[in-house]
Amino acid sequence: MKRISSIFLLLWAFLSLSATTREVKLKLIETSDIHGNFFPYNFITQQDWNGSFARVYTYVQQERQTYGDNLLLMDNGDILQGQPSAYYYNFMDTVSTHITAAMMNYMGFVVGNMGNHDVEAGHSVYDRWIKQCNFPVLGANIIRTSDGQPYLKPYEIIERDGIKIAVLGMITPAIPTWLPETLWKGLSFADMEQTARKWIPIIQEKEKPDVVIGLFHAGKEARTVAGKYREDASAEIAECIPGFDIIMMGHDHRRFCGKIANAQGDSVLLINPANNGRTVGDIEISLTVDGDKVVRKSIQGTLTDMDKLQPSQEFMTQFTPQYQAVKTFVSEKVGTFTETISTRPAYFGPSAFIDFIHSLQLDLTGADISFAAPLSFDAEIKEGDIRISDMFNLYKYENMLYTMELTGKEIKGFLEESYAIWTNQMQSADDHLLLLTERKDGNGYTFTNPSFNFDSAAGIIYTVDVTKPAGQKITIQSLANGEPFDLNKTYRVALNSYRGNGGGELLTKGAGIPQDQLKDRIVNATEKDLRYYMIQYIKDKKTLSPQPLNQWKMIPEAWTQKAAERDAKLLFE
């Protein structure tokens, strides 16, 4: 009898709970690091391309048929730089509604976040974009220096079906090591973990959210930059600061989807869709609500491929005028090259591609020495007519051009650091010339370190002995004009603003200049980006024949020449 009563009690409790509970399902879609890839067309190579907002919108519309207004579309930054489509509306057409704001409003984004390449566009660009968005662009750790308050909204509360979702937005704080202060004047960038520790209690006490999301323009694997900035701290925050259900990542262009436990043993979903809209972070949240209280929560994430989807015809029709405007812009002829140039030879010795940049930097600044690196891993500009589109291949980023004062000793230290992360220490003729790592997918090899930090020099004659250990490879024989090179003398050096602000740490770790002293070394900075001056330079010259300057080489050549052939095949074939 007692057993029957117990069964009836359980059944009664179940029926009572069922009568008062309801299920709420939410779908979150994250884009990140779109880099101006709005259309399924690469305006640089002038070819059809994968990813894009046009394909993402196809997926969003498809999922909205199921989730309706419970689908929440979020962007995680680095959207204002990359393809010429962003550049055109950043700097050429500054009267129209910015293409990025227009598209994000059309697609129905509920929240955005600032990325470091958005800051790179400068105040006039990102302030205009933010103002034109019909949703908040977040940045809890972007601080006004005038009053110590956040420059942007720290977090957003979104309500759907009685569920409160809190989204805390942050940016990686190492921006002062990459970008000129003129681009972020009046701002500072606080530590992400400290900022999260401040805002999570405020959000929990004031808002009492049911779901807490970190929208972080930062990757998963933390490291310290310039001895003070904690870069890519997303996983650290997930582990150390309880309260987050989900952390959406970006910045490092590395796909990831997985769960980790925080300090209280709760599960936190980490997700990163990488770049260019080829993948989205796709999250399903199921909540059981009893009255006004969530009694059960299930969160599942996956990375969903966009490449196989057809671009939305509705989207393409809506933005046809912008598409045509950008296509006309990139089709403008700038000049003519009589030679095909490629970044591939630049990893093994002097190349016409990098030495063209060196020559331009020296010509524009009147400096003694130039530093430059291949900003694209594998770029080529064919002989013939050069158009605006080619200029984005020649120079990938909107860096300014700096002239800095460095001693001969600092120049040597800079180059030692560059070649230390670039070249192997060969023990035999059969070794790799370069520092290479097998790709995780098993499809060939890639560089161990980012190739955009492989700076060579022009204006000096030097050798790189790859049999020597790091820090002992470089021998500078003279200036290019034959004058002696003096380690104690101060020289004027042309280099881009990313490097001049400490990017890649070649000036800090290599040359030994403290981060806070770099700005004191800058004697001149251009007002516009280097690509702008390149366009004007080529227009003025009309026809150019880029050639290697042949001012440096790797030795011993009996080893390096054959090793270069082997490594080139591993990298490019």
Side-chain angles (χ1 to χ4, degrees):
M1 185 70 180
K2 286 183 179 180
R3 184 178 178 187
I4 294 172
S5 298
S6 297
I7 292 171
F8 274 113
L9 283 170
L10 288 170
L11 180 61
W12 176 84
F14 173 76
L15 291 172
S16 298
L17 182 65
S18 298
T20 61
T21 61
R22 60 192 178 90
E23 295 292 320
V24 177
K25 292 187 180 295
L26 303 170
K27 163 81 84 168
L28 312 182
I29 295 178
E30 178 203 4
T31 60
S32 190
D33 298 85
I34 292 294
H35 287 289
N37 189 26
F38 308 135
F39 300 105
Y41 184 79
N42 187 327
F43 289 99
I44 300 173
T45 62
Q46 301 202 27
Q47 295 174 323
D48 291 340
W49 215 26
N50 293 321
S52 79
F53 262 177
R55 288 190 170 89
V56 172
Y57 191 61
T58 295
Y59 184 66
V60 168
Q61 288 295 80
Q62 171 187 310
E63 294 300 293
R64 278 183 176 145
Q65 293 178 14
T66 300
Y67 290 91
D69 200 36
N70 281 10
L71 184 147
L72 305 178
L73 183 58
M74 307 182 186
D75 183 74
N76 204 1
D78 274 9
I79 196 167
L80 297 179
Q81 180 277 335
Q83 277 285 309
S85 47
Y87 185 90
Y88 180 75
Y89 285 94
N90 286 349
F91 306 113
M92 310 307 291
D93 181 354
T94 59
V95 176
S96 301
T97 298
H98 198 289
I99 189 173
T100 307
M103 287 182 168
M104 296 177 82
N105 291 338
Y106 180 81
M107 294 172 71
F109 278 84
V110 296
V111 71
N113 195 35
M114 282 286 280
N116 54 293
H117 283 292
D118 302 320
V119 178
E120 183 180 319
H123 262 293
S124 62
V125 175
Y126 56 77
D127 288 344
R128 168 177 156 234
W129 164 60
I130 291 165
K131 185 178 180 180
Q132 292 174 346
C133 288
N134 295 337
F135 52 87
V137 176
L138 305 179
N141 64 331
I142 304 176
I143 308 300
R144 280 195 306 265
T145 54
S146 60
D147 59 7
Q149 295 302 307
Y151 183 68
L152 300 173
K153 195 172 185 179
Y155 68 89
E156 172 75 342
I157 298 295
I158 303 164
E159 294 196 40
R160 295 290 188 274
D161 284 352
I163 300 297
K164 291 181 79 173
I165 305 106
V167 185
L168 177 69
M170 289 196 287
I171 190 173
T172 186
I175 286 164
T177 70
W178 305 323
L179 300 177
E181 189 173 349
T182 52
L183 301 176
W184 45 273
K185 188 175 181 180
L187 305 176
S188 64
F189 304 90
D191 181 78
M192 289 180 62
E193 184 172 338
Q194 291 176 6
T195 302
R197 288 191 186 279
K198 171 186 174 179
W199 285 103
I200 283 296
I202 293 172
I203 292 169
Q204 289 174 328
E205 292 168 18
K206 181 181 177 181
E207 310 292 353
K208 296 180 173 51
D210 301 299
V211 179
V212 179
I213 300 167
L215 188 62
F216 298 164
H217 190 80
K220 178 174 174 284
E221 305 296 334
R223 58 193 175 91
T224 301
V225 174
K228 60 188 293 190
Y229 299 106
R230 199 64 174 155
E231 167 86 339
D232 291 329
S234 295
E236 280 188 344
I237 292 171
E239 291 171 351
C240 298
I241 304 177
F244 291 100
D245 296 292
I246 302 161
I247 288 182
M248 296 178 173
M249 303 183 293
H251 181 53
D252 63 2
H253 295 195
R254 296 181 180 179
R255 298 182 188 189
F256 182 83
C257 182
K259 292 185 177 182
I260 62 174
N262 67 18
Q264 294 182 347
D266 296 324
S267 176
V268 183
L269 174 68
L270 297 180
I271 195 161
N272 187 336
N275 57 312
N276 286 329
R278 300 189 63 182
T279 306
V280 297
D282 202 335
I283 302 166
E284 294 183 349
I285 305 176
S286 296
L287 304 111
T288 302
V289 184
D290 184 6
D292 60 356
K293 185 179 180 180
V294 174
V295 295
R296 189 182 68 83
K297 189 188 311 183
S298 172
I299 299 173
Q300 301 298 325
T302 188
L303 297 174
T304 302
D305 181 24
M306 299 290 103
D307 284 351
K308 296 176 183 177
L309 298 176
Q310 288 297 314
S312 164
Q313 190 57 54
E314 179 186 339
F315 180 95
M316 294 299 294
T317 300
Q318 176 71 22
F319 295 103
T320 295
Q322 291 90 331
Y323 177 90
Q324 292 298 339
V326 177
K327 198 162 188 183
T328 299
F329 167 63
V330 299
S331 299
E332 179 190 344
K333 180 181 175 181
V334 178
T336 302
F337 277 5
T338 63
E339 311 285 338
T340 295
I341 60 174
S342 166
T343 55
R344 291 189 181 188
Y347 305 113
F348 309 101
S351 71
F353 195 108
I354 301 303
D355 286 350
F356 175 76
I357 297 172
H358 280 310
S359 298
L360 181 76
Q361 292 187 164
L362 290 170
D363 189 50
L364 287 172
T365 63
D368 305 301
I369 296 162
S370 168
F371 291 146
L375 300 186
S376 297
F377 164 67
D378 187 13
E380 181 184 69
I381 299 175
K382 293 187 179 297
E383 65 177 293
D385 289 345
I386 303 302
R387 304 189 182 279
I388 293 289
S389 57
D390 295 306
M391 303 309 296
F392 287 82
N393 219 0
L394 181 64
Y395 209 83
K396 187 174 182 178
Y397 302 109
E398 279 79 72
N399 300 142
M400 310 302 181
L401 178 60
Y402 280 4
T403 306
M404 300 182 73
E405 289 187 337
L406 304 179
T407 66
K409 183 179 179 182
E410 290 166 344
I411 290 166
K412 183 179 184 299
F414 179 105
L415 290 172
E416 290 284 9
E417 180 67 18
S418 176
Y419 286 93
I421 62 173
W422 175 355
T423 63
N424 185 33
Q425 183 182 0
M426 295 183 71
Q427 305 289 338
S428 75
D430 296 324
D431 288 342
H432 289 300
L433 173 62
L434 308 179
L435 287 174
L436 300 179
T437 301
E438 283 194 69
R439 293 183 182 274
K440 290 182 180 179
D441 60 7
N443 187 23
Y445 285 74
T446 187
F447 292 117
T448 303
N449 298 300
S451 56
F452 55 75
N453 288 328
F454 296 174
D455 275 46
S456 61
I460 52 176
I461 307 298
Y462 66 100
T463 58
V464 184
D465 190 338
V466 295
T467 67
K468 299 289 180 65
Q472 301 176 31
K473 294 175 182 279
I474 307 299
T475 300
I476 302 176
Q477 298 163 348
S478 69
L479 294 175
N481 62 9
E483 293 179 11
F485 181 80
D486 188 342
L487 290 175
N488 298 311
K489 185 177 177 180
T490 297
Y491 296 94
R492 291 204 165 194
V493 179
L495 70 177
N496 69 41
S497 55
Y498 171 80
R499 191 71 71 232
N501 286 293
E505 301 187 276
L506 302 186
L507 282 171
T508 49
K509 288 176 64 177
I513 305 171
Q515 178 69 38
D516 59 3
Q517 294 180 19
L518 289 177
K519 62 182 179 181
D520 298 329
R521 301 297 192 92
I522 302 168
V523 295
N524 189 49
T526 58
E527 292 184 2
K528 297 182 182 295
D529 64 273
L530 192 48
R531 190 189 300 121
Y532 169 85
Y533 294 102
M534 288 181 171
I535 291 170
Q536 304 311 311
Y537 183 84
I538 296 172
K539 282 183 175 180
D540 181 57
K541 300 292 184 182
K542 294 184 175 59
T543 300
L544 295 102
S545 301
Q547 300 292 331
L549 295 174
N550 295 320
Q551 294 180 353
W552 66 277
K553 62 182 177 181
M554 294 182 185
I555 59 172
E557 292 179 86
W559 287 12
T560 61
Q561 289 178 356
K562 291 182 179 179
E565 292 176 5
R566 293 195 304 269
D567 285 357
K569 289 181 179 180
L570 294 174
L571 283 168
F572 302 115
E573 294 183 14

